[in-house]
Amino acid sequence: MASLKELKGRIKSVKSTQKITKAKQMVAAAKLRRAQEAAEAARPYAERLNAVMASLAAKVGDSASAPRLLSGTGSDQRHLLVVINTDKGLCGGLNANIVKEALKKARGLISDGKQVEFYLVGKKGRAPIKRSNVADVAEQFDTSDVRDPGFDEAEKIANELLEMFEAGKFDVAHLIYPIFKSALAQEPVTQQLIPVPPPEADAVSTGGDAVVEYEPGEEEILEELLPRYVRTQLFGALLELAASEQGASMTAMDNATRNAGDLIKDLNIEYNRSRQAAITTELIEIIAGAEAL
Amino acid sequence: MPLHFELVTPARHVRSDDVHMVVVPGTEGEFGVLEGHAPFMSTIRDGAVQIFKTAGASPETIEVRGGFAEVGENGLTILAEHVES
């Protein structure tokens, strides 16, 4: 059995760990609220853009002059998987789940005879994806130097992706990111990013049935809107990621705090028991000594 | 009748107001939007959006970059990527 001093030391160390996890949990709870508000605030823009995109895409349709971002390169051989991970750990299985989803998608595409490359955002996805050896990492984007990845980062990522698309480095891009459902559940999803999938037509445009005038022209507007749409998608993904990270972190830290509590209780019982045992042995020795006299 | 005007960026809802007139820097020239404007859609160049709270009042300007304006039956909506007021 461990000595009293050792037990005391362990209790102390577990207690300080508990303090850390508890603090991290409370920080995550506060940040989660902010992340959710940010996600909420981004919704009107995305909805409007969706509605406009839907009405324009329906008009321009499949005509030969449709922009390449909408119609694609005509082939779907080379795929790029844009995987969005967090930069920091301490958020339970979130990153593992995202990586799992990405690898599943990659393996599926490879078994269909496609070429797959990764574009990684965030630090935590790099090691496991490289180690898996499923496909090469074409590019990675570092978000670790900013506190809250926001629209500027989304813009940079989108511009890089669009450049790669223009340069003909890939035909299809998929975006893999977690969707925040609740603090307990974050679900990684795969979504096609480029070519832009035609948005749902049921998002009725605010123009109603009236004839809308376009300036300069429908196609020019669409051409300008498509990159913006890609940016908004990425921005939305970053926001979902932020909310998911804080949610997952909160849950994981709550568990850790509770575990530490249990551990402390067990250690305390063990400590008291060995202290009592020591006292009892001492008493027996004294009594035995007294009786011998 | 006032014109309903909304200015939205990816990060937040900047403005939602009833105003008299808004002058928007369209790609093919500035245009003013009053209540009852026909449905209209235009890209906008980087520049200042002027908001006239009432007729004849001095305008309030908001700088926008990377934008897009839409006039529908609910009024004018400007989607801009960056806003500096």
Side-chain angles (χ1 to χ4, degrees):
Chain A
M1 197 184 270
S3 78
L4 283 183
K5 196 165 178 327
E6 270 169 36
L7 277 173
K8 225 175 189 171
R10 281 202 62 194
I11 290 172
K12 217 171 142 193
S13 88
V14 175
K15 262 189 185 154
S16 66
T17 310
Q18 188 189 29
K19 258 183 212 156
I20 295 168
T21 57
K22 193 158 194 182
K24 173 84 178 131
Q25 182 204 341
M26 287 194 284
V27 170
K31 279 194 180 166
L32 173 63
R33 196 163 340 117
R34 238 188 305 143
Q36 269 177 309
E37 272 164 20
E40 202 80 29
R43 213 155 287 155
Y45 184 87
E47 272 168 15
R48 288 285 158 77
L49 201 57
N50 256 339
V52 174
M53 281 278 304
S55 66
L56 274 176
K59 282 209 178 84
V60 176
D62 295 329
S63 67
S65 56
R68 283 215 317 164
L69 267 177
L70 191 66
S71 59
T73 53
S75 124
D76 66 339
Q77 195 50 40
R78 289 163 305 157
H79 289 248
L80 185 75
L81 299 185
V82 183
V83 188
I84 301 198
N85 278 97
T86 67
D87 283 315
K88 297 191 185 97
L90 292 183
C91 50
L94 179 66
N95 286 311
N97 287 338
I98 300 170
V99 168
K100 211 190 288 167
E101 168 83 14
L103 293 180
K104 199 178 89 194
K105 178 81 186 167
R107 289 205 180 96
L109 285 170
I110 288 171
S111 67
D112 287 344
K114 316 272 189 217
Q115 287 171 25
V116 177
E117 275 188 318
F118 286 108
Y119 181 99
L120 303 179
V121 179
K123 259 186 188 165
K124 287 287 164 185
R126 287 179 204 165
I129 284 183
K130 272 185 192 154
R131 218 182 308 126
S132 71
N133 264 334
V134 170
D136 286 340
V137 175
E139 203 77 55
Q140 50 199 27
F141 188 86
D142 202 11
T143 50
S144 59
D145 48 352
V146 279
R147 238 174 115 224
D148 297 305
F151 193 73
D152 291 340
E153 282 68 41
E155 204 170 356
K156 275 182 216 152
I157 298 168
N159 289 346
E160 240 174 80
L161 286 175
L162 293 172
E163 251 169 52
M164 285 168 78
F165 184 69
E166 289 298 324
K169 292 205 174 125
F170 63 87
D171 299 318
V172 185
H174 304 269
L175 184 62
I176 296 158
Y177 66 100
I179 283 196
F180 177 81
K181 293 213 156 143
S182 70
L184 287 169
Q186 302 86 29
E187 198 181 296
V189 290
T190 310
Q191 190 187 334
Q192 187 173 322
L193 188 65
I194 300 172
V196 175
E200 298 287 316
D202 58 272
V204 184
S205 103
T206 45
D209 293 332
V211 181
V212 182
E213 248 182 84
Y214 295 94
E215 185 182 301
E218 290 158 24
E219 275 172 32
E220 285 88 341
I221 292 185
L222 191 59
E223 203 138 333
E224 197 171 308
L225 273 187
L226 284 165
R228 212 165 287 171
Y229 184 76
V230 173
R231 260 172 248 161
T232 313
Q233 290 289 326
L234 279 165
F235 181 57
L238 286 180
L239 287 177
E240 289 283 344
L241 174 79
S244 299
E245 181 184 3
Q246 300 308 338
S249 170
M250 198 174 97
T251 318
M253 288 304 114
D254 185 40
N255 276 336
T257 310
R258 220 167 291 158
N259 270 344
D262 288 349
L263 205 54
I264 289 171
K265 217 167 84 194
D266 289 350
L267 283 173
N268 255 330
I269 288 172
E270 204 183 325
Y271 174 75
N272 287 342
R273 204 172 278 156
S274 27
R275 192 192 54 185
Q276 199 54 54
I279 291 170
T280 314
T281 344
E282 231 169 83
L283 271 179
I284 288 171
E285 274 165 14
I286 291 169
I287 293 166
E291 270 176 1
L293 279 175
Chain B
M1 267 293 278
L3 165 77
H4 188 67
F5 165 64
E6 285 194 36
L7 179 58
V8 190
T9 68
R12 66 203 168 99
H13 214 130
V14 181
R15 257 312 183 70
S16 180
D17 242 347
D18 284 330
V19 297
H20 172 66
M21 176 173 84
V22 180
V23 175
V24 186
T27 325
E28 298 188 340
E30 290 198 344
F31 57 91
V33 181
L34 284 160
E35 163 63 18
H37 197 290
F40 179 62
M41 216 177 264
S42 170
T43 51
I44 54 185
R45 64 187 150 76
D46 305 349
V49 173
Q50 294 169 44
I51 304 156
F52 294 81
K53 191 92 189 147
T54 52
S58 58
E60 174 192 350
T61 59
I62 299 179
E63 290 284 333
V64 296
R65 275 193 291 136
F68 172 81
E70 183 197 9
V71 184
E73 48 199 22
N74 320 333
L76 168 71
T77 308
I78 295 180
L79 303 178
E81 286 188 347
H82 300 277
V83 166
E84 289 141 38
S85 52

